Amino acid sequence: MRSDQMKKGMERAPHRSLLKALSYTDEELRRPIIGIANSVNDVIPGHKHLREVADAVKAGVMIAGGTPMEFGTIGLCDGIAMGHKGMKYSLPSREIIADSLEIMGTAYPFDGLVCVCDCDKIVPGMMMAMLRLNIPAILVSGGPMMAGCTNKKKVDLITVFEGVGAFAAKKITEKELKQLENDACPGAGSCAGMFTANSMNCLSEALGLSLPGNGTVPAVMAKRLRLAKHSGMKIMELLARDIKPRDIATQKAFENAITVEMALGSSTNTVLHLPAIANEAGIKLDLGLFNEISARTPNLCRISPAGENHMQDLDAAGGVSAVMSELNKKKLLHPGLMTATARSVKENIHDAVNLDPEVIRPVEEPYSPDGGLSILFGNLATDGAVVKKSAVAGSMLTHEGPARVFDSEEDAMKAIMDGNIKKGDVVVIRYEGPKGGPGMREMLGPTAAIAGEGLDVDVALITDGRFSGGTRGAAIGHISPEAQEGGVIGIVEEGDKIRIDIPNKSLELLLDEGTIEARKEQWKRPDYKIKEGYLSRYAKQVTSASTGAVFEK
């Protein structure tokens, strides 16, 4: 066993003595040691309850004859970090989480690993570590939050963000905004829509790195704890059969994940995280592959913010397994791949049934014949940009308008809240990319304010930063190259015309090449905004959004 490195032989007597100080017995130390990476804390609603989830995992490990050893890692809530300096740390925290698991999984040579997490950057960070360490491992999420209810209508966190814009536009009162604030987030779990956390938990199923149900079973259900127990038991089977993450998360498995991503209409952030996870296994996911798979994959779900349904509705309809079963009817998946169940994809979805065709459209009757995300290219994004097409109003799929240029999120937000953005405008927010931000902040505040004011069917927003999974409207992010690296977005001027053509995957600054080159010659690279601490180091090491914003090799 791998753990013998720290527990077996006479020379390891000091090590065993320290472990016995933790109350482990000789009997427990003879068993396989399973590391339980738990990101529980009191500052994220999706993580508040993870102590109970981890305890269920540990019970499952012990039932199956293993010894669990729990340790912690950091995690931050994007919603609480939104709109201030804290958001600059969100994406960079992904690398620290992956590094911390690598450190713990090497300093303590566990025989297997169970990753207990729930939100935003924590889920992909842990999957990156699973592939990097490549010991038998499984991901267990805390599950999605239930939707709230105001005036008999389902609401969620994004309703509150959009309520801020509605209040600024005098469409709702302060009392009504307060009511939304009180009702939208009723308890533990990752926010209730197809936002980044739930998108990545669903894609962990599609990749095969978690058990069916991991992405959709609500946090408050006993079924969530039973799933955690089964995951604890299953890690012992993966260990016995020597099934490792890289045996599961192959090139074809990532193709399955992208296919499910397109069917679900997942968060645009998944286009950052899937390449970063694949990178740990030496797999390169070119952005063109996302468009290639999107072209043949029907969009079957419109979960908030793209529609009125929430994660609890998707779970009741059969969850990710039912979505995959629909896709498999048209042979859009690789069904023979191994998964964390120690069974194939085909075996996992064999009994899956679509229980609600209003939530999961039959594959013959999709919302659209192509996927929910699109990668755009053009002179404004030669290396690509991403949009959640399924959350864009039909009238905004093509749009041409004047640029309203801002060099930070704060400046753009002030203009929106002051009523200075008009119908037809294309809001440009730059120097918010991985290097320029640094940290590539989410722009949920500006997009939600635009939607709250009722302008999401008239105004587009483009940025080298990124968006929350809760963003809706013609919001195009991840523009690469970013402004800090000399991308064309950095030379856009107020009033320049920009053309967006989502059906044809195009994003163009309507200037002739000579004018663009002349402006480039005049452009001077600004100094990094932050010159000390982790973000200073991050800005110098991080790569483009088009490559997953991973560190340079």
Side-chain angles (χ1 to χ4, degrees):
M1 290 188 290
R2 186 172 182 264
S3 61
D4 286 347
Q5 298 173 52
M6 67 175 176
K7 68 180 186 181
K8 189 174 183 180
M10 290 301 102
E11 68 279 12
R12 294 293 181 258
H15 302 62
R16 291 192 296 275
S17 182
L18 288 167
L19 290 167
K20 287 177 179 178
L22 296 167
S23 80
Y24 292 107
T25 65
D26 285 327
E27 291 78 9
E28 288 173 301
L29 295 178
R30 281 194 288 268
R31 298 170 184 162
I33 306 296
I34 306 299
I36 312 295
N38 187 3
S39 54
V40 63
N41 60 44
D42 287 339
V43 294
I44 309 178
H47 289 215
K48 174 71 174 175
H49 63 306
L50 293 187
R51 170 68 58 213
E52 190 177 10
V53 175
D55 285 345
V57 170
K58 289 191 281 187
V61 169
M62 289 186 282
I63 287 169
T67 297
M69 292 185 178
E70 183 180 347
F71 63 93
T73 187
I74 65 168
L76 61 86
C77 174
D78 280 25
I80 297 172
M82 196 79 65
H84 58 88
K85 186 179 178 180
M87 179 48 74
K88 291 178 181 288
Y89 286 88
S90 176
L91 182 61
S93 75
R94 184 188 71 182
E95 314 309 309
I96 289 182
I97 291 162
D99 289 350
S100 69
L101 265 66
E102 175 195 351
I103 289 168
M104 292 299 288
T106 306
Y108 297 84
F110 303 120
D111 298 301
L113 183 68
V114 181
C115 297
V116 180
C117 53
D118 212 13
C119 292
D120 292 294
K121 310 310 155 305
I122 302 97
V123 176
M126 288 197 172
M127 284 198 278
M128 288 166 68
M130 289 165 66
L131 287 167
R132 189 184 301 177
L133 286 166
N134 201 35
I135 59 175
I138 193 166
L139 187 94
V140 179
S141 88
M145 185 185 291
M146 300 295 284
C149 183
T150 292
N151 298 326
K152 299 182 180 180
K153 180 181 179 182
K154 286 181 184 175
V155 292
D156 56 40
L157 180 66
I158 306 309
T159 317
V160 189
F161 271 100
E162 294 184 359
V164 172
F167 174 73
K170 296 182 171 52
K171 292 187 174 184
I172 64 172
T173 65
E174 184 177 358
K175 182 179 179 181
E176 289 171 317
L177 180 59
K178 187 70 174 180
Q179 189 68 45
L180 285 176
E181 174 187 327
N182 290 336
D183 293 344
C185 298
S190 47
C191 297
M194 189 56 74
F195 314 143
T196 303
N198 293 325
S199 294
M200 290 308 303
N201 281 324
C202 287
L203 296 189
S204 73
E205 283 190 54
L207 264 177
L209 293 175
S210 64
L211 299 190
N214 183 68
T216 60
V217 174
V220 296
M221 288 188 173
K223 184 179 178 182
R224 170 59 57 182
L225 297 181
R226 296 198 299 272
L227 181 63
K229 287 181 184 178
H230 283 130
S231 297
M233 290 184 269
K234 188 59 67 173
I235 190 65
M236 298 302 293
E237 183 178 352
L238 296 178
L239 176 60
R241 296 179 57 176
D242 195 31
I243 299 173
K244 301 184 180 72
R246 293 189 195 181
D247 300 324
I248 294 170
T250 61
Q251 171 73 34
K252 289 183 177 181
F254 279 100
E255 291 173 9
N256 278 354
I258 296 171
T259 301
V260 172
E261 172 185 48
M262 296 303 171
L264 290 174
S266 299
S267 163
T268 53
N269 282 315
T270 58
V271 179
L272 276 178
H273 298 319
L274 286 178
I277 297 165
N279 180 65
E280 297 292 346
I283 297 170
K284 183 178 180 181
L285 294 184
D286 185 87
L287 289 185
L289 179 63
F290 288 81
N291 276 345
E292 179 185 325
I293 291 175
S294 178
R296 63 174 182 257
T297 305
N299 178 221
L300 305 182
C301 300
R302 293 281 168 93
I303 309 299
S304 176
E308 297 299 317
N309 293 313
H310 289 79
M311 295 305 294
Q312 65 210 54
D313 304 307
L314 179 58
D315 186 65
V320 175
S321 291
V323 173
M324 295 179 75
S325 178
E326 289 288 348
L327 293 169
N328 202 44
K329 291 176 182 177
K330 286 204 169 184
K331 303 188 186 310
L332 294 170
L333 298 174
H334 302 290
L337 305 182
M338 179 57 67
T339 72
T341 64
R343 303 189 305 168
S344 69
V345 171
K346 182 178 180 180
E347 291 173 305
N348 287 347
I349 65 176
H350 181 266
D351 296 324
V353 177
N354 182 356
L355 299 172
D356 190 343
E358 296 300 313
V359 177
I360 304 172
R361 287 279 185 90
V363 74
E364 301 86 1
E365 302 173 30
Y367 284 101
S368 66
D370 56 354
L373 298 182
S374 290
I375 310 298
L376 310 185
F377 295 93
N379 64 5
L380 254 176
T382 54
D383 293 340
V386 62
V387 63
K388 190 169 187 173
K389 181 174 71 70
S390 60
V392 180
S395 61
M396 288 296 289
L397 290 172
T398 58
H399 179 75
E400 184 177 313
R404 303 296 309 282
V405 183
F406 305 94
D407 287 346
S408 72
E409 177 188 1
E410 288 83 358
D411 289 347
M413 189 66 177
K414 185 177 186 305
I416 296 165
M417 296 299 285
D418 288 348
N420 293 329
I421 301 302
K422 307 301 180 186
K423 289 183 178 182
D425 286 348
V426 178
V427 177
V428 178
I429 306 178
R430 61 191 181 191
Y431 296 104
E432 290 286 5
K435 289 182 178 293
M440 203 180 183
R441 288 191 288 181
E442 289 186 346
M443 303 291 165
L444 179 57
T447 58
I450 287 170
E453 291 186 17
L455 292 173
D456 55 302
V457 295
D458 299 294
V459 170
L461 192 155
I462 70 173
T463 181
D464 54 8
R466 59 193 180 89
F467 296 114
S468 163
T471 290
R472 63 186 174 96
I476 299 165
H478 306 192
I479 288 179
S480 302
E482 61 174 291
Q484 187 74 27
E485 290 194 298
V488 170
I489 189 174
I491 56 97
V492 177
E493 296 180 2
E494 189 82 5
D496 285 346
K497 290 294 180 65
I498 291 173
R499 180 185 295 143
I500 297 164
D501 187 345
I502 294 172
N504 289 307
K505 314 290 193 294
S506 175
L507 181 63
E508 295 283 341
L509 175 63
L510 299 182
L511 293 177
D512 62 81
E513 192 60 35
T515 302
I516 290 174
E517 289 305 315
R519 288 190 189 177
K520 280 185 173 182
E521 289 179 11
Q522 295 296 316
W523 178 82
K524 293 182 180 179
R525 188 187 313 277
D527 200 0
Y528 290 114
K529 292 178 183 175
I530 294 180
K531 300 177 178 61
E532 60 184 14
Y534 176 56
L535 285 182
S536 176
R537 299 195 304 274
Y538 180 85
K540 294 168 185 173
Q541 296 176 45
V542 71
T543 61
S544 168
S546 63
T547 57
V550 297
F551 282 164
E552 292 177 356
K553 292 282 187 181

